[in-house]
């Protein structure tokens, strides 16, 4: 069984009991159990989230309540500190009605511990086609064909100062990546 979580998702602390149950049941039935996840460079994540959820052209139910013209200044205004840790801790709803909660250092450390405890593989989105997806294909014993996307996301030109401000805003996300991302192309966990 392959299960992907996307859209309305609870945070990892809320999911831990369910994950533990899945792992226990799989072990009882002698069925391999693997969990994969990916994290994203914090600046890339802030830009992608802004373009997808805060852009004026966003017309879906999952758009943020505040929409902006695409500009570096508006990106900074719409960014919340450590967005990945916040989503992984608090969860995410497709119905955006309030400002997302911030996350504490202790909560982000809890996310790191849960990822390390439960994930078979933690990769980076920029290495999906070169590392994570081939490993997943090998695990599932299916052929892997590297796909090339013709979709190009409109990007923002960020100067060094803006990039540094976004990195500073996402320092716990950066630490999460340093502490958890798998460093080899084999299943280390």
């Amino acid at each position: 069984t392959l299960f992907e979580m996307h859209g309305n998702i609870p945070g990892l602390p809320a999911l831990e009991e369910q994950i533990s149950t899945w792992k226990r049941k799989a072990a009882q039935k002698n069925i391999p159990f693997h969990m994969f996840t990916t994290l994203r460079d914090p600046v890339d994540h802030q830009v992608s989230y802004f373009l997808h959820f805060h852009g004026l052209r966003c017309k879906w139910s999952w758009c943020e309540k505040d929409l902006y013209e695409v500009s570096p200044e508006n990106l900074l205004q719409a960014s919340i500190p450590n967005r990945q840790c916040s989503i992984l801790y608090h969860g995410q709803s497709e119905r955006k009605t309030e400002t997302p909660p911030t996350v504490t250092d202790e909560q982000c450390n809890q996310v790191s511990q849960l990822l390390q405890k439960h994930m078979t593989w933690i990769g980076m989105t920029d290495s999906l086609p070169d590392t994570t997806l081939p490993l997943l294909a090998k695990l599932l014993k299916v052929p892997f064909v590297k796909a090339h996307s013709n979709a190009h996301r409109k990007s923002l030109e960020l100067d060094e100062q803006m990039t540094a401000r976004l990195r500073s805003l996402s320092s716990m996300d950066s630490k999460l990546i340093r502490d958890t991302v798998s460093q080899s192309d084999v299943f280390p966990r």
Side-chain angles (χ1 to χ4, degrees):
T1 301
L2 187 61
F3 177 65
E4 177 193 9
M5 294 185 66
H6 215 275
N8 288 321
I9 57 170
L12 283 174
L15 282 173
E16 183 176 25
E17 186 176 326
Q18 184 64 53
I19 293 168
S20 295
T21 298
W22 290 336
K23 290 172 86 171
R24 187 179 60 255
K25 286 182 178 183
Q28 289 170 348
K29 295 181 180 195
N30 202 27
I31 298 171
F33 181 90
H34 299 283
M35 289 186 66
F36 277 54
T37 194
T38 57
L39 299 175
R40 193 165 194 176
D41 172 83
V43 172
D44 291 345
H45 188 265
Q46 293 279 16
V47 170
S48 176
Y49 194 96
F50 174 74
L51 293 173
H52 190 76
F53 294 103
H54 282 289
L56 286 177
R57 296 189 311 178
C58 191
K59 306 291 184 217
W60 303 290
S61 62
W62 57 79
C63 299
E64 291 287 353
K65 63 182 180 147
D66 298 320
L67 301 179
Y68 300 92
E69 290 283 344
V70 174
S71 73
E73 296 76 22
N74 288 339
L75 163 64
L76 191 59
Q77 183 175 341
S79 295
I80 67 162
N82 304 297
R83 187 179 299 275
Q84 286 181 96
C85 279
S86 178
I87 291 170
L88 288 167
Y89 185 83
H90 296 291
Q92 184 171 356
S93 171
E94 286 188 357
R95 302 278 182 213
K96 310 288 194 229
T97 57
E98 56 191 52
T99 303
T102 57
V103 67
T104 66
D105 192 48
E106 183 179 313
Q107 291 167 333
C108 195
N109 286 337
Q110 184 179 356
V111 165
S112 177
Q113 292 166 3
L114 291 171
L115 288 172
Q116 292 177 65
K117 178 180 178 181
H118 293 295
M119 297 296 155
T120 307
W121 177 260
I122 303 167
M124 293 291 292
T125 55
D126 60 355
S127 65
L128 269 171
D130 298 319
T131 307
T132 305
L133 292 178
L135 284 172
L136 186 56
K138 182 178 178 181
L139 177 70
L140 296 173
K141 298 178 181 166
V142 298
F144 173 71
V145 178
K146 189 172 182 175
H148 297 282
S149 172
N150 291 330
H152 298 284
R153 181 182 296 276
K154 181 180 179 185
S155 62
L156 287 169
E157 293 295 325
L158 302 178
D159 61 24
E160 288 180 27
Q161 182 181 13
M162 183 62 71
T163 300
R165 289 175 76 183
L166 289 168
R167 284 221 183 277
S168 176
L169 192 65
S170 301
S171 60
M172 286 188 274
D173 285 352
S174 294
K175 182 180 183 306
L176 178 68
I177 289 167
R178 282 192 308 273
D179 292 349
T180 61
V181 170
S182 302
Q183 299 297 317
S184 71
D185 59 358
V186 296
F187 301 111
R189 299 180 199 279

